[in-house]
Amino acid sequence: MAFYQMLRNESLYPRGEASPGQAGWIAARLLRLRALLNGEITSKRQPDTLIIGSWNIRHFDGGRLRLPESYHYIAEIIDHFDICAVQEVKDIKAVERLVRLLGPNWDFFVNDSSGPGRGNNERMAFLFDRRKVSFRHLIGELVLPKGALPGDEQIGRTPFFASFQAGWFKFTLCSAHIVFEEQANRPLREDEIRVIATALAKRAKEADEVHVMLGDMNIEDPGDAGMQALVNNGFKAVPLGPTTLSGNRHYDQIAFTGPHNETNLVGHGVLRWQDAVFTDAEAEGYRSVAPTGGEPDGGEPDADWPRAYRAWRTHEMSDHLPVWIEIRTDYSNEYLLETQRLLPGQGRPPTR
């Protein structure tokens, strides 16, 4: 459970509930957010399952720093996952601050910066609840063989992978943030997705283990070439639906490949955080704390504040919605049934 004790510190959060930043204001919105998360995830969750989340948290935390209350809302969402891949990390201190709010049961890994240019000086992170997930001591970045992409380029934002286990379920996550702006004679979105999917499918077959590719894949529509690149490499893409606040882009995806008997999907979803925090109806309340009208670093609030507010709040939360899947982790019945059917001399099934 995310930590709330800080909200009682009056030097950080004044008492009251009438204005942004006040303890009562934040608490009221956390209660709304918890109700939304309970309805979407907690109340529907089945026993012996794993919740895997992914979220592109916009410029986390670069440029204009987020309001302190936004960290509480982000932590509340991630706390309802067991493990979460985060894209667009700009500052490791932001991740450390987030994990402090998640509490001592949570841990994290962050990869190196992808550098300027297509890398946009971004990192990726895995955050996980050690009570639900254990790290299996394999972590790295995906480096391509020579000639895999046009111009012998590497992927702009280096994919980040790590191996974990939950119950009987062993799996490897690979977080990706696919290039957005496409240029002639340089790798396209579909090219980056194809080479990652090809490499992961090969690894999954060799290890006989589920590999999950997740993140901001900048897929416009389920029928586009990027999605086809996943399918052509044997990935099952979860039908999540649109993942942008505008509701018309399918940028964020979760897809998996590997042993079919170990990918029992029991749930999935996209969380519309804007129905609980930074709602449309709250635009006027945030006008006084907004430093800018559409630009993240200074200026006066826009004359058309209701319009500017919808852009401003994406720098507090994100311009992407969190996505998640629920996977079954207990295969003990299947193991025992297989053992029951063994005949003399057949040997033993593989141990877990």
Side-chain angles (χ1 to χ4, degrees):
M1 181 178 295
F3 278 18
Y4 309 120
Q5 294 95 322
M6 193 181 299
L7 294 176
R8 297 288 184 94
N9 186 333
E10 290 190 60
S11 65
L12 298 175
Y13 302 97
R15 295 286 173 87
E17 57 181 330
S19 301
Q22 293 179 332
W25 174 281
I26 300 169
R29 279 142 191 83
L30 282 170
L31 287 167
R32 287 198 320 226
L33 185 57
R34 285 165 61 89
L36 174 66
L37 288 158
N38 181 65
E40 294 286 329
I41 300 176
T42 309
S43 65
K44 299 177 182 178
R45 182 168 187 173
Q46 298 186 22
D48 300 315
T49 60
L50 174 74
I51 304 288
I52 301 174
S54 179
W55 195 3
N56 178 327
I57 303 180
R58 187 174 191 180
H59 297 162
F60 190 56
D61 204 358
R64 175 178 64 79
L65 298 180
R66 284 167 165 78
L67 297 173
E69 69 181 81
S70 301
Y71 276 85
H72 287 279
Y73 306 146
I74 293 170
E76 189 67 46
I77 291 170
I78 291 179
D79 186 55
H80 283 71
F81 306 144
D82 300 320
I83 185 168
C84 185
V86 175
Q87 300 86 43
E88 214 161 301
V89 172
K90 305 287 272 188
D91 188 349
I92 296 176
K93 291 182 179 179
V95 181
E96 294 172 342
R97 180 177 178 181
L98 176 60
V99 172
R100 285 196 295 271
L101 288 175
L102 287 166
N105 293 315
W106 282 79
D107 207 343
F108 71 98
F109 302 114
V110 180
N111 71 343
D112 198 7
S113 169
S114 291
R118 284 193 163 193
N120 196 30
N121 294 306
E122 292 179 20
R123 303 173 187 266
M124 301 186 209
F126 291 120
L127 289 72
F128 60 100
D129 186 339
R130 290 183 301 223
R131 295 169 299 180
K132 308 288 185 63
V133 181
S134 59
F135 173 52
R136 289 173 45 225
H137 308 293
L138 174 64
I139 192 166
E141 296 180 317
L142 187 62
V143 179
L144 302 177
K146 186 175 179 62
L149 283 175
D152 197 26
E153 292 194 44
Q154 290 290 322
I155 296 166
R157 303 174 180 97
T158 310
F160 187 35
F161 66 85
S163 294
F164 302 92
Q165 182 165 349
W168 287 58
F169 182 50
K170 296 179 180 179
F171 61 101
T172 295
L173 298 184
C174 182
S175 180
H177 189 180
I178 300 302
V179 64
F180 181 75
E181 293 184 2
E182 297 183 311
Q183 302 174 18
N185 302 317
R186 300 196 70 183
L188 304 175
R189 299 178 193 177
E190 63 190 87
D191 294 324
E192 289 197 345
I193 294 173
R194 171 181 50 79
V195 294
I196 298 171
T198 300
L200 292 182
K202 182 174 183 291
R203 293 173 62 97
K205 184 176 181 180
E206 291 173 347
D208 191 30
E209 180 178 294
V210 174
H211 280 53
V212 183
M213 182 176 171
L214 72 176
D216 179 2
M217 301 190 200
N218 279 312
I219 289 176
E220 301 272 343
D221 182 87
D224 74 14
M227 182 65 79
Q228 195 59 47
L230 283 173
V231 173
N232 289 346
N233 279 282
F235 276 80
K236 175 180 175 58
V238 181
L240 294 168
T243 66
T244 55
L245 273 67
S246 60
N248 59 358
R249 295 289 187 272
H250 299 245
Y251 287 153
D252 305 270
Q253 297 288 332
I254 303 178
F256 50 83
T257 188
H260 294 296
N261 63 335
E262 295 185 12
T263 51
N264 191 335
L265 184 71
V266 296
H268 60 82
V270 178
L271 187 77
R272 288 179 49 85
W273 51 260
Q274 71 272 30
D275 292 341
V277 297
F278 294 104
T279 66
D280 291 342
E282 293 173 330
E284 193 59 35
Y286 283 103
R287 184 194 287 264
S288 62
V289 300
T292 171
E295 296 296 330
D297 300 308
E300 296 297 325
D302 196 289
D304 184 3
W305 172 239
R307 178 192 62 79
Y309 167 76
R310 289 191 290 273
W312 173 83
R313 67 182 175 180
T314 68
H315 293 277
E316 292 299 326
M317 297 294 285
S318 184
D319 50 351
H320 293 250
L321 301 175
V323 298
W324 59 273
I325 62 172
E326 182 179 0
I327 293 277
R328 190 162 64 92
T329 60
D330 184 358
Y331 300 98
S332 53
N333 279 346
E334 290 85 345
Y335 184 87
L336 290 171
L337 287 169
E338 187 178 352
T339 302
Q340 179 186 6
R341 290 192 294 266
L342 285 176
L343 298 175
Q346 283 188 324
R348 295 177 298 174
T351 58
R352 295 295 177 188

